[in-house]
Amino acid sequence: MQDNSFELLEAKVMTAVRRIQELKAENEVLAGRREELEKQVAALKDQVSRAEGELSEARQQAAVVARWEDKRRLIEEKVGGLLESLESLD
């Protein structure tokens, strides 16, 4: 009976050893995948940062364009008023 118990114990130990080896291998695969994902996250953060910079620049340019458009409208109104004044002199 003791031999049978030792055989069962040995079988369980061997099963546990195999499972530990499998888990170690799986852990290595997962660690590699984690590193890949961390690199992807870093790359995406860089892209977001660049995109935010481009967006900020585009907003600044849009504000400049809006100011120039306002100035253009004012000049157009003044020129229109001056032309009306000239026309009324006739």
Side-chain angles (χ1 to χ4, degrees), residues 2 4 19 25 27-28 41-42 50 65 68 74 76 83:
Q2 237 180 0
N4 191 26
R19 184 64 183 141
N27 191 41
E28 288 177 15
V41 167
R50 281 193 303 274
V65 168
W68 281 106
L74 285 173
E76 192 176 87
L83 286 175

Side-chain angles (χ1 to χ4, degrees), residues 39-62:
K39 289 177 184 176
Q40 287 178 0
V41 167
L44 289 172
K45 284 182 179 180
D46 286 344
Q47 287 178 347
V48 166
S49 180
R50 281 193 303 274
E52 286 174 343
E54 290 172 5
L55 178 59
S56 176
E57 186 177 320
R59 285 180 176 157
Q60 290 173 356
Q61 289 175 353

Side-chain angles (χ1 to χ4, degrees), residues 32-90:
R33 181 66 179 136
R34 185 194 73 230
E35 288 177 15
E36 290 173 15
L37 291 172
E38 286 173 347
K39 289 177 184 176
Q40 287 178 0
V41 167
L44 289 172
K45 284 182 179 180
D46 286 344
Q47 287 178 347
V48 166
S49 180
R50 281 193 303 274
E52 286 174 343
E54 290 172 5
L55 178 59
S56 176
E57 186 177 320
R59 285 180 176 157
Q60 290 173 356
Q61 289 175 353
V64 168
V65 168
R67 284 194 300 273
W68 281 106
E69 181 62 25
D70 289 342
K71 288 180 181 181
R72 185 199 60 79
R73 255 188 254 115
L74 285 173
I75 292 170
E76 192 176 87
E77 289 172 7
K78 286 182 182 180
V79 169
L82 291 171
L83 286 175
E84 286 178 12
S85 296
L86 285 174
E87 288 175 0
S88 68
L89 291 177
D90 289 339

Side-chain angles (χ1 to χ4, degrees), residues 11-28:
K12 288 183 179 184
V13 168
M14 293 306 295
T15 300
V17 167
R18 279 192 300 274
R19 184 64 183 141
I20 289 169
Q21 289 171 341
E22 290 170 359
L23 291 172
K24 282 183 177 181
E26 185 179 338
N27 191 41
E28 288 177 15

